[in-house]
């Protein structure tokens, strides 16, 4: 029922409301690379590999693609952190459906290069496949191949072999540049086939280097950047290039080195990761200005943030989030955080906006840098198990807004407006005269206040409530197709035309009373299609109100009046908005409401063919072009009726997803895995460690030898040392082992097969959370005098007879070092070359001679790549592979309570039978008494999927990616357990867990898992 004039008078007021044509500033600086001044208009169509030439330009407002303004709303995804190419499509389709028009990716040199001059772009490393998939999905690509990428990956993306090469990295050293040029040649050979400029694909922008600030002040820095720029251009990359300034420093702006300035197609970008505890910063229109002001450092190019925090990473021990892991990251950087910070960026003129991360993924194998553990969930909008989380809502709403409402591509700062209790930003579009207000509440309580928005005939008093630590986007004078929005207290999400009517969608928090006011010179015919809505027409204004979310989607149809085209108003809360999907087809635009995800839509004659996902049972509603009369969902017909709003509404619910049953893990078998500790072990095939010099940054002990693992070609995972100790060992009291590792490295040592003991690096605290290299010296006592060799009983008899004893026997010192990973090189100091492994060995009480041999990982796995395996005996023998014969291993049951120091392997198999058409995400959970000190390396079907440290944490659940995991078939699970001997050790409880289930998904091709 419509509200009466009397009931509504307090809300509507009696003052005639107007719309100001004001605004400050003119067209600004002339276009840099845009061919001409580009007026506000529709965004370009989604990209695809169409074979046609396209132009990519820009001015101070935005990118300009094919003469149309494009606001880049991008999310970061790293293909190497999701080693199942089928799942790339799944995450990309989720991003597109939820409002992103661009995906940003790093290309990690270490992931593709097992040796100098060798590059592998096959299998899980197929960059060409990823770029094709992105174009097929309709997403632009921002490509970031380094050579240095940081990214919390081993050595910042530098390959392990680079640590053992001469010349400083990230400089113009000719040896380093030779390797860099070979890498870029290999990458660019693929990328240039996928540039949007020639229609080969959707690569839109290309970044060189990453947060480079180590040599800005000396000539070598610009020379290095110039070399990279010229190399990339010479390789045929003609899309705009950029670099991401590490902060708001004004480094590498156009003209700072020889790129030809803006006309050399060079953009300035800067990164930012403000804490939730901070006030959202002004990095543009409303900031300090100048070189340190963010976007103002380059006033002739659009505001560009290549990385803005969509979460944050967590270190071993979890000190960053109080031991609660990424769930706490997601809680503290939630939807309200996104609205406050991302809307502030938009107000500051940032129209190229990339959220790092949107899908974090997994640091499988030896991929992670020392500062992170296996999970790289990041608290992102899409979690590690590929579930869309509630914090996706602002990304979904803003992304669709920027694609569907062109006014936001060209905003200028307008006259300051004060709203009590709220930080207020006022902008206007000089072409359309629409006004935009960002109202931000930085306080701890909700604020209800009045925005006095200038109008045509005076001022509109708009009462707005903004929750604590949240923000609101308010617009006035916005075109809603053929009608004009006077103002709304809720945020527009999309304006589109579906068939014979315009559709305008607005969103806000659950339970809030939305208030929309339309300019209506002639009284329209209004239909309240849902009971929650109310409306009144008063003094040429139509007021519509509704509490958001209480009945799902609220619909109000406005017809006749000054326009013959109906306007459908849709009002949704955050949760409801995530089930609304605009989709463009060659036959016209669709709007689909109901499912958890819309992947694809096609109009075939009069039928609408939809594919997507459901989680629980749900309704389905479709608005679309004239003439559609039927709907299919994932290939099956859906009975429908025609609604009063012109939609097709399903008369039965779409089914939700079943929860597949998971087996209990039983049938374990075990075997000891450190034969290298025995004095009789044959190490004759191992590498002799006798070098005297190193290209690393760690000093070599006087007299040597070099014991650093990288110098002998062992770059990833565990490394074994065996030292033959000869000479006079009488009086030997102790041995000291100096070693260097990444975070949470450890060492175990044996002498003549007897355990000497173990040592481990400390758990990071708040002061050392960023420390990437750790060094320590472990001193172990040697018990008692040297024992007589039982293999030589004549020694004792000789002494009794007064004869000369046999020469002292050779003793064997065996050391296993879990090196963890190489440090990154964020400050350009070659810190990735800090030693890993033993650095020096000294003895107390004697001065024996020692000859060393070293053994690490074997040849790189041709399928799983160089980062999969380390140097454990079981890895070298293939104990982690699905085809290994373990019939002679001992049966075992879990949990365990083992004692002693060493390595033990466990293997079992299990079968899954997930129904066809169900996307089930499965995890492996390890649980135990946190006082028990041990760690586990997890192998699924031969793939090293992570490391669990029981007494450190915080990670207990490890995602098993579909494709590597056979969801309909047999799987082999292997666990390599390292026990430091300081406590009883496990494994404890080891079980499978269902992390998410959806009906739909994408077809998954099994990732190769060869048995040997």
């Amino acid at each position: 029922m419509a509200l009466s004039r009397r009931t509504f008078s307090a809300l509507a007021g009696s003052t005639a409301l107007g719309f100001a044509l004001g605004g400050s500033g003119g067209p600004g600086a002339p276009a840099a690379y845009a061919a001409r001044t580009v007026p506000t208009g529709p965004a370009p169509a989604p990209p695809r590999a169409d074979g046609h030439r396209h132009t990519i330009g820009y001015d101070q407002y935005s990118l300009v693609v094919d003469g149309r303004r494009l606001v880049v709303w991008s999310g970061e995804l790293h293909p190497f952190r999701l080693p199942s190419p089928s799942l790339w499509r799944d995450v990309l389709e989720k991003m597109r459906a939820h409002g992103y028009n661009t995906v940003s990716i790093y290309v990690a040199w270490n992931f593709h290069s097992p040796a100098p001059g060798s590059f592998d772009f096959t299998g899980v490393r197929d960059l060409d496949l990823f770029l094709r998939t992105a174009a097929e999905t309709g997403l632009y690509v921002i490509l970031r191949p380094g050579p240095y990428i940081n990214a919390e990956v081993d050595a910042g993306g530098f390959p392990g072999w680079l640590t053992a090469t001469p010349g400083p990295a990230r400089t113009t050293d000719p040896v380093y540049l030779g390797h860099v040029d070979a890498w870029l040649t290999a990458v660019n050979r693929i990328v240039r086939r996928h540039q949007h400029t020639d229609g080969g694909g959707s690569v839109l922008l290309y970044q060189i280097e990453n947060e480079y600030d180590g040599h800005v002040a000396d000539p070598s820095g610009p020379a290095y950047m110039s070399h990279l720029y010229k190399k990339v251009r010479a390789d045929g990359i003609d899309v705009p290039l950029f670099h991401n300034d590490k902060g708001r420093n004004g480094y590498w702006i156009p003209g700072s080195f020889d790129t030809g300035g803006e006309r050399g197609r060079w953009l300035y970008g800067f990164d930012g990761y403000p804490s939730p505890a901070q006030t959202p910063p002004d990095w543009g229109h409303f900031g300090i200005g100048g070189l340190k002001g963010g976007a103002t450092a380059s006033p002739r190019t659009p505001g560009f943030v290549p990385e803005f925090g969509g979460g944050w990473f967590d270190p071993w021990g979890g000190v960053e989030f109080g031991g609660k892991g990424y769930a706490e990251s997601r809680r503290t950087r939630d939807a309200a955080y996104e609205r406050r910070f991302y809307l502030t960026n938009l107000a500051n003129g940032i129209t190229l906006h990339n959220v790092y991360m949107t899908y974090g993924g997994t640091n499988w194998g030896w991929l992670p840098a020392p500062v992170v553990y296996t999970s790289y969930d990041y608290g992102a909008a899409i979690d590690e198990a590929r579930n869309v989380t509630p914090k996706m809502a602002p990304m979904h709403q803003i992304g669709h807004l920027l694609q569907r409402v062109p006014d936001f591509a060209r905003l200028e700062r307008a006259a300051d407006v004060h709203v009590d209790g709220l930080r207020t930003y006022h902008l206007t579009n000089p072409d359309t005269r629409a006004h935009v207000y960002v109202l931000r509440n930085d306080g701890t309580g909700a604020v209800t206040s009045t925005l006095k928005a200038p109008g045509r005939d005076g001022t509109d008093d708009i009462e707005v409530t903004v929750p604590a630590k949240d923000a609101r986007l308010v617009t006035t004078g916005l075109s809603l197709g053929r009608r004009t929005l006077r103002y709304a207290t809720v945020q527009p999400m999309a304006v589109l035309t579906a068939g014979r009517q315009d559709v305008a969608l607005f969103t806000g928090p659950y339970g809030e009373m939305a208030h929309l006011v339309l300019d209506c010179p002639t009284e329209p015919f209004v239909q309240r299609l849902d009971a929650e809505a109310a409306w009144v027409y008063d003094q040429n204004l139509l007021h519509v109100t509704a509490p958001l979310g209480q009945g799902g989607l609220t619909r109000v149809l406005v017809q006749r009046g000054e326009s013959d085209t109906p306007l459908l108003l849709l009002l949704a809360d955050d949760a409801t908005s995530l089930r609304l999907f605009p989709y463009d087809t060659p036959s016209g635009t669709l709007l689909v409401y109901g499912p958890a995800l819309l992947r694809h839509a096609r109009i075939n004659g009069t039928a609408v063919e939809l594919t997507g996902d459901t989680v629980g049972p749900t309704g389905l509603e479709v608005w679309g072009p004239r003439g559609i009369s039927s709907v299919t969902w994932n290939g099956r017909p859906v009975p429908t009726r025609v609604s009063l709003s012109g939609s097709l509404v399903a008369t039965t619910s779409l089914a939700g997803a079943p929860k597949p049953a998971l087996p209990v893990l039983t049938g374990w078998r075990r075997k000891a895995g450190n034969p290298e500790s025995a004095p009789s072990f044959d190490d004759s095939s191992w590498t002799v460690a006798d070098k005297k010099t190193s290209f690393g940054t760690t000093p070599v002990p006087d007299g040597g030898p070099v014991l650093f693992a990288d110098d002998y070609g062992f770059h990833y995972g565990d490394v074994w040392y065996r030292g033959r100790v000869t000479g006079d060992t009488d009086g030997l009291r102790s041995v000291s082992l100096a070693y260097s590792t990444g975070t949470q490295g450890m060492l175990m040592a044996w002498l003549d097969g007897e355990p000497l003991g173990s040592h481990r690096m400390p758990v990071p605290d708040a002061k050392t959370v960023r420390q990437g290299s750790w060094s320590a010296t472990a001193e172990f006592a040697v018990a008692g005098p040297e024992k007589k060799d039982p293999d030589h009983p004549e020694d004792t008899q000789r002494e009794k007879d007064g004869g000369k004893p046999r020469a002292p026997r050779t003793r064997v010192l065996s050391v296993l070092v879990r090196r963890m990973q190489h440090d990154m090189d964020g400050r350009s100091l070659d810190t990735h070359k800090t030693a890993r492994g033993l650095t020096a060995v000294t003895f107390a009480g004697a001065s024996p001679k020692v000859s060393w041999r070293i053994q690490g990982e074997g040849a790189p796995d041709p399928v799983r790549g160089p980062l999969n395996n380390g140097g454990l005996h079981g890895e070298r023998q293939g104990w982690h592979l699905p085809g290994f014969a373990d019939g002679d291993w001992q049966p075992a049951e879990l949990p365990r309570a083992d004692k002693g120091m060493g390595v033990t392997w466990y293997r079992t198999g299990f079968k899954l039978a997930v129904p066809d058409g169900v996307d089930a995400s499965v995890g492996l959970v390890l649980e135990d008494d946190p006082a028990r000190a041990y760690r586990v390396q997890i192998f699924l079907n031969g793939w090293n999927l992570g490391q669990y440290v029981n007494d450190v944490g915080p990670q207990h659940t490890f995602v098993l990616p579909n494709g590597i995991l056979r969801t309909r078939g047999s799987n082999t699970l292997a666990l390599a357990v390292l026990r430091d001997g300081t406590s009883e050790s496990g494994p404890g409880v080891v079980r499978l867990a269902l992390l998410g289930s959806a009906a739909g998904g994408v077809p998954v091709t099994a990732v190769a898992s060869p048995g040997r």
Side-chain angles (χ1 to χ4, degrees):
M1 182 178 71
L3 296 178
S4 69
R5 291 174 184 254
R6 177 176 299 176
T7 305
F8 210 90
S9 61
L11 177 63
S14 58
T15 304
L17 303 180
F19 167 55
L21 298 177
S24 62
Y33 177 52
R36 55 187 173 80
T37 300
V38 179
T40 300
R48 58 190 179 92
D50 58 10
H52 299 302
R53 294 288 304 176
H54 299 276
T55 61
I56 305 173
Y58 47 84
D59 59 15
Q60 76 270 32
Y61 297 107
S62 71
L63 288 188
V64 178
V65 175
D66 294 336
R68 295 185 176 188
R69 293 198 175 277
L70 173 71
V71 178
V72 172
W73 195 244
S74 173
E76 189 84 10
L77 159 68
H78 298 156
F80 52 82
R81 283 188 161 114
L82 185 56
S84 178
S86 299
L87 300 185
W88 297 344
R89 184 179 298 276
D90 174 66
V91 178
L92 290 172
E93 288 181 353
K94 286 172 178 169
M95 290 175 63
R96 181 202 53 76
H98 287 299
Y100 296 88
N101 59 11
T102 305
V103 59
S104 173
I105 66 167
Y106 277 132
V107 187
W109 189 357
N110 57 4
F111 187 56
H112 295 275
S113 183
S118 175
F119 304 102
D120 186 350
F121 290 93
T122 64
V124 298
R125 296 166 295 280
D126 193 340
L127 177 62
D128 186 84
L129 173 61
F130 182 89
L131 296 177
R132 292 201 312 270
T133 305
E136 290 165 3
T137 308
L139 291 173
Y140 292 105
V141 175
I142 299 174
L143 195 97
R144 310 203 290 161
Y148 180 79
I149 63 171
N150 205 72
E152 290 77 63
V153 297
D154 182 84
F158 284 152
W161 55 260
L162 193 70
T163 64
T165 60
R170 310 185 77 184
T171 71
T172 54
D173 176 83
V175 174
Y176 168 71
L177 287 184
H179 293 308
V180 166
D181 285 353
W183 162 242
L184 292 177
T185 295
V187 173
N188 293 339
R189 184 180 296 120
I190 297 170
V191 175
R192 68 177 173 235
R193 299 197 300 264
H194 295 273
Q195 297 184 93
H196 190 55
T197 44
D198 63 9
S202 59
V203 174
L204 180 75
L205 303 171
Y206 182 113
Q207 177 180 309
I208 63 171
E209 248 286 346
N210 188 82
E211 296 185 334
Y212 182 61
D213 66 350
H215 302 282
V216 177
D218 62 72
S220 65
Y224 172 53
M225 293 289 283
S226 177
H227 176 93
L228 297 177
Y229 175 86
K230 292 176 180 176
K231 167 61 181 170
V232 170
R233 286 293 186 224
D235 283 349
I237 305 302
D238 64 2
V239 299
L241 306 182
F242 71 96
H243 178 76
N244 57 332
D245 191 350
K246 199 171 188 175
R248 278 64 52 207
N249 303 300
Y251 297 157
W252 314 118
I253 61 174
S256 60
F257 65 106
D258 56 347
T259 63
E262 300 93 339
R263 294 192 177 277
R265 292 159 292 159
W266 179 259
L267 296 171
Y268 172 70
F270 59 91
D271 292 349
Y273 290 87
S275 161
Q278 292 178 250
T279 299
D282 292 320
W283 289 335
H285 291 327
F286 294 84
I288 62 173
L291 287 177
K292 303 291 185 179
T296 58
S298 181
R300 290 163 58 90
T301 61
F304 186 8
V305 181
E307 296 180 28
F308 195 89
W312 191 245
F313 59 83
D314 201 25
W316 286 105
V319 67
E320 193 71 47
F321 300 110
K324 299 177 183 178
Y326 285 114
E328 184 69 2
S329 174
R330 189 168 286 109
R331 186 190 70 81
T332 56
R333 291 168 172 82
D334 60 0
Y337 168 91
E338 292 179 318
R339 280 188 289 266
R340 276 209 307 152
F341 285 79
Y342 301 168
L343 290 177
T344 297
N345 286 347
L346 186 64
N348 275 275
I350 293 169
T351 58
L352 288 84
H353 192 281
N354 180 55
V355 175
Y356 188 108
M357 302 290 296
T358 290
Y359 172 78
T362 303
N363 292 313
W364 61 281
W366 296 105
L367 179 69
V371 294
V372 290
Y373 46 88
T374 297
S375 177
Y376 199 66
D377 177 280
Y378 216 78
I382 303 174
D383 71 17
E384 187 181 1
R386 297 178 291 109
N387 298 303
V388 174
T389 68
K391 69 179 286 182
M392 180 62 83
M395 302 302 301
H396 180 91
Q397 295 160 5
I398 299 172
H400 285 297
L401 170 71
L402 298 176
Q403 292 184 51
R404 302 280 171 178
V405 182
D407 304 67
F408 289 85
R410 191 182 183 195
L411 292 177
E412 296 177 346
R413 182 173 180 174
D416 290 344
V417 173
H418 176 75
V419 179
D420 289 342
L422 300 174
R423 174 71 166 101
T424 306
Y425 302 86
H426 178 201
L427 303 107
T428 187
N429 182 295
D431 299 325
T432 67
R433 303 300 184 185
H435 287 245
V436 173
Y437 302 86
V438 173
L439 307 176
R440 197 181 71 221
N441 181 1
D442 296 324
T444 57
V447 171
T448 299
S449 196
T450 300
L451 165 66
K452 294 184 177 296
R456 279 196 307 258
D457 305 315
T459 300
D460 289 329
D461 290 341
I462 307 173
E463 186 177 278
V464 179
T465 297
V466 183
K469 300 293 183 181
D470 210 330
R472 181 66 45 80
L473 179 69
V474 173
T475 54
T476 67
L478 193 68
S479 172
L480 305 183
R482 280 79 167 177
R483 301 176 192 267
T484 300
L485 176 71
R486 183 66 166 262
Y487 65 81
T489 62
V490 284
Q491 177 177 310
M493 177 178 134
V495 179
L496 52 92
T497 298
R500 300 181 181 182
Q501 64 186 356
D502 297 324
V503 181
L505 172 59
F506 292 83
T507 64
Y510 176 85
E512 178 175 318
M513 182 64 71
H515 180 198
L516 281 70
V517 181
L518 273 63
D519 280 318
C520 295
T522 305
E523 183 171 3
F525 175 67
V526 182
Q527 288 177 281
R528 182 187 60 174
L529 304 181
D530 292 285
E532 292 77 17
W535 62 271
V536 67
Y537 180 72
D538 183 42
Q539 298 188 31
N540 297 330
L541 297 176
L542 175 65
H543 296 260
V544 176
T545 61
L548 295 178
Q550 294 182 7
L553 185 65
T554 300
R555 307 157 184 82
V556 176
L557 183 62
V558 182
Q559 300 180 82
R560 300 199 288 269
E562 76 278 9
S563 175
D564 292 331
T565 302
L567 171 64
L568 178 64
L569 297 174
L570 301 178
L571 306 175
D573 68 323
D574 285 352
T576 302
S577 74
L578 282 172
R579 297 163 56 210
L580 281 156
F581 303 98
Y583 197 103
D584 294 321
T585 78
S587 302
T589 301
L590 296 170
L591 179 63
V592 177
Y593 170 53
L597 182 72
L598 176 68
R599 294 185 182 274
H600 297 288
R602 188 169 79 101
I603 297 177
N604 184 5
T606 61
V608 178
E609 299 172 349
L610 306 175
T611 61
D613 297 1
T614 60
V615 175
T618 182
L620 177 68
E621 187 169 6
V622 181
W623 291 269
R626 296 172 56 185
I628 62 171
S629 59
S630 62
V631 176
T632 64
W633 176 255
N634 290 341
R636 296 182 178 181
V638 177
T640 61
R641 62 175 176 82
V642 179
S643 74
L644 291 175
S645 68
S647 63
L648 296 178
V649 180
T651 56
T652 60
S653 294
L654 303 181
K659 296 187 181 299
L662 301 178
V664 176
L665 297 176
T666 59
W668 291 95
R669 307 184 76 84
R670 73 189 293 263
K671 186 173 183 176
N674 52 287
E676 299 92 338
S677 64
S680 59
F681 179 82
D682 181 7
D683 60 15
S684 60
S685 64
W686 287 21
T687 301
V688 175
D690 59 359
K691 293 184 177 184
K692 301 297 183 182
T693 60
S694 170
F695 292 122
T697 57
T698 302
V700 178
D702 291 341
V706 173
L707 296 175
F708 315 153
D710 287 296
D711 287 76
Y712 297 97
F714 304 120
H715 306 301
Y716 303 112
D718 300 286
V719 62
W720 275 98
Y721 297 85
R722 284 172 56 87
R724 282 177 167 74
V725 184
T726 60
D728 183 11
T729 58
D730 290 343
L732 180 61
R733 299 190 306 273
S734 66
V735 57
S736 295
L737 305 174
Y739 72 119
S740 176
T741 73
T743 308
Q744 276 303 288
M746 68 175 295
L747 171 151
M748 296 188 285
W750 295 259
L751 184 61
D752 298 332
E754 296 295 322
L756 286 176
S758 63
H759 186 278
R760 59 191 291 181
M761 299 300 181
V763 179
D765 57 22
K767 294 182 179 179
T768 58
V769 68
R770 299 292 186 88
Q771 183 173 325
S773 289
W774 301 71
S775 60
T777 299
E779 183 176 354
F780 301 112
V782 176
E786 181 182 349
K787 296 179 180 179
K788 305 303 180 183
D789 191 335
D791 293 335
H792 295 276
E794 68 273 15
D795 286 355
T796 302
Q797 187 61 45
R798 282 189 184 131
E799 292 184 25
K800 286 182 178 180
D801 296 342
K804 186 177 181 180
R806 190 173 64 87
R809 65 185 176 88
T810 298
R811 310 194 72 178
V812 178
L813 177 61
S814 301
V815 182
L816 173 63
V817 180
R818 173 145 287 186
R819 306 174 305 169
M820 304 304 278
Q821 289 81 22
H822 302 92
D823 198 357
M824 297 183 290
D825 190 30
R827 298 176 62 191
S828 305
L829 298 175
D830 265 1
T831 46
H832 63 292
K833 292 185 176 181
T834 303
R836 291 295 182 260
L838 290 178
T839 55
V841 180
T842 56
F843 300 89
S847 301
K849 295 181 180 179
V850 187
S851 60
W852 290 98
R853 288 182 181 268
I854 183 173
Q855 177 65 56
E857 74 273 20
D861 187 311
V863 172
R864 302 173 182 94
L867 296 164
N868 194 69
N869 294 110
L872 292 177
H873 179 79
E875 292 177 286
R876 303 197 310 272
Q877 298 299 313
W879 293 2
H880 61 300
L881 297 175
F884 180 78
D886 58 9
D888 61 344
W889 288 25
Q890 294 179 342
E893 292 186 0
L894 301 184
R896 299 288 301 181
D898 293 336
K899 297 180 180 180
M901 185 180 79
V903 182
T904 307
W905 283 74
Y906 296 82
R907 284 172 56 95
T908 191
F910 62 92
K911 293 183 178 180
L912 295 178
V914 176
D916 282 336
V918 174
D919 179 8
S921 184
V922 178
L924 184 73
V925 180
L926 291 88
E927 298 168 320
D928 206 345
D929 179 350
R932 287 153 56 100
Y934 66 94
R935 59 186 65 194
V936 180
Q937 204 71 27
I938 300 165
F939 294 89
L940 177 69
N941 297 329
W943 290 82
N944 180 348
L945 292 183
Q947 182 176 181
Y948 169 75
V949 184
N950 180 68
D951 57 331
V952 174
Q955 185 174 3
H956 288 268
T957 300
F958 295 79
V959 174
L960 308 177
N962 296 350
I964 291 176
L965 178 71
R966 308 293 191 252
T967 57
R968 293 180 61 81
S970 298
N971 298 273
T972 299
L973 181 64
L975 307 177
V977 181
L978 273 66
R979 312 182 315 274
D980 68 11
T982 61
S983 69
E984 286 188 342
S985 62
V989 173
V990 180
R991 61 182 175 85
L992 300 174
L994 185 65
L995 305 180
S997 183
V1002 297
V1004 176
T1005 300
V1007 178
S1009 294
R1012 298 289 292 184

